[in-house]
Amino acid sequence: FHSGEREEKCIIEDVPSDTLVIGNYKVQRWDIHKQDFLESAPGLGMFVTVTTPSAEVLLSKLYGPQGTFSFTSYLSGEHIICLQSNSTRFVAFAGSKLRIHLDIRVGEHFLDESVVQAKDKVNEVNFRLEHLIEQIHHISKEQNYEREREEKFRKTSEETNSNILWWAIVQTLILISIGVWQIKSLRDFFISKKLV
């Protein structure tokens, strides 16, 4: 995505609890002379801020023009990940455009390459098996989180439907009572004018 030099951009990521989130980013600055983005942005860093669903700051750190940040969620819900350049130029002069490449991986577990390259195949198979079991636990955790969200959504929908039903009943009673009142008042009017 593109961003201004002093502009803050935020991404909302829905993350289950106890889940590792890893983000890789790279910043490129617009070069006026070449009319293209430079391969890197030397001297430019990024402030990365991560906020939990309860508005608590989980991570706030300054990184370089490219880097990796990671955090582990302890609450399930929408985590807000914000990126802003550390440009020291005044807002009026900070008109440079930035291109930010961002890759966010939720629940990522990396294989240790030194173990993978081990000569003992039994250890390698055992390590890969442990890695697969860890991924299965993560998928199970993700499914439980989705079930909780679906249950909460279903409860909200049922409450809304119940409220709509009662509102319809109240409207019907009001219409019937207004109709009865109009009939009675018209009847009384016609009787008082001796038209009936």
Side-chain angles (χ1 to χ4, degrees):
F1 58 88
H2 290 193
S3 172
E5 197 168 329
R6 300 283 306 257
E7 186 180 359
E8 182 179 49
K9 292 281 186 167
C10 294
I11 291 134
I12 298 174
E13 192 69 37
D14 202 359
V15 181
S17 62
D18 297 325
T19 302
L20 176 68
V21 178
I22 298 173
N24 294 313
Y25 73 89
K26 176 181 169 185
V27 180
Q28 296 176 307
R29 186 185 299 209
W30 177 257
D31 187 5
I32 299 173
H33 305 296
K34 294 181 181 178
Q35 293 295 311
D36 195 14
F37 287 96
L38 297 173
E39 192 54 39
S40 66
L44 196 64
M46 293 299 281
F47 283 112
V48 178
T49 307
V50 178
T51 309
T52 64
S54 61
E56 181 181 335
V57 176
L58 192 61
L59 172 73
S60 180
K61 193 172 178 184
L62 175 64
Y63 294 91
Q66 69 181 29
T68 301
F69 61 90
S70 64
F71 64 93
T72 302
S73 64
Y74 64 89
L75 283 175
S76 57
E78 293 180 343
H79 288 66
I80 301 171
I81 302 168
C82 295
L83 300 165
Q84 183 180 19
S85 71
N86 69 339
S87 174
T88 56
R89 300 201 294 182
F90 291 115
V91 176
F93 300 110
S96 227
K97 286 192 293 185
L98 300 175
R99 178 188 287 167
I100 302 170
H101 302 270
L102 179 64
D103 179 30
I104 296 177
R105 295 185 180 146
V106 178
E108 189 71 23
H109 300 284
F110 293 109
L111 293 173
D112 188 359
E113 292 300 323
S114 62
V115 175
V116 173
Q117 295 173 356
K119 293 179 182 176
D120 187 7
K121 294 294 182 186
V122 174
N123 285 341
E124 182 180 344
V125 170
N126 187 24
F127 181 75
R128 288 190 184 270
L129 185 62
E130 288 176 3
H131 180 70
L132 287 174
I133 290 171
E134 202 172 294
Q135 284 182 331
I136 289 170
H137 287 303
H138 172 69
I139 290 169
S140 173
K141 202 183 311 179
E142 185 92 26
Q143 286 176 335
N144 289 337
Y145 175 62
E146 291 300 324
R147 276 190 206 103
E148 289 173 11
R149 287 186 60 199
E150 189 272 333
E151 185 177 330
K152 187 188 295 183
F153 179 75
R154 187 171 30 85
K155 284 181 182 175
T156 304
S157 297
E158 288 172 357
E159 288 175 7
T160 304
N161 286 341
S162 172
N163 290 341
I164 289 172
L165 174 68
W166 284 112
W167 178 245
I169 290 171
V170 167
Q171 280 182 324
T172 304
L173 290 176
I174 289 173
L175 286 174
I176 289 172
S177 62
I178 289 175
V180 168
W181 176 78
Q182 283 181 338
I183 290 172
K184 184 185 178 311
S185 60
L186 279 173
R187 189 172 153 247
D188 291 345
F189 174 75
F190 288 142
I191 289 174
S192 68
K193 294 294 182 181
K194 297 185 182 185
L195 295 173
V196 179

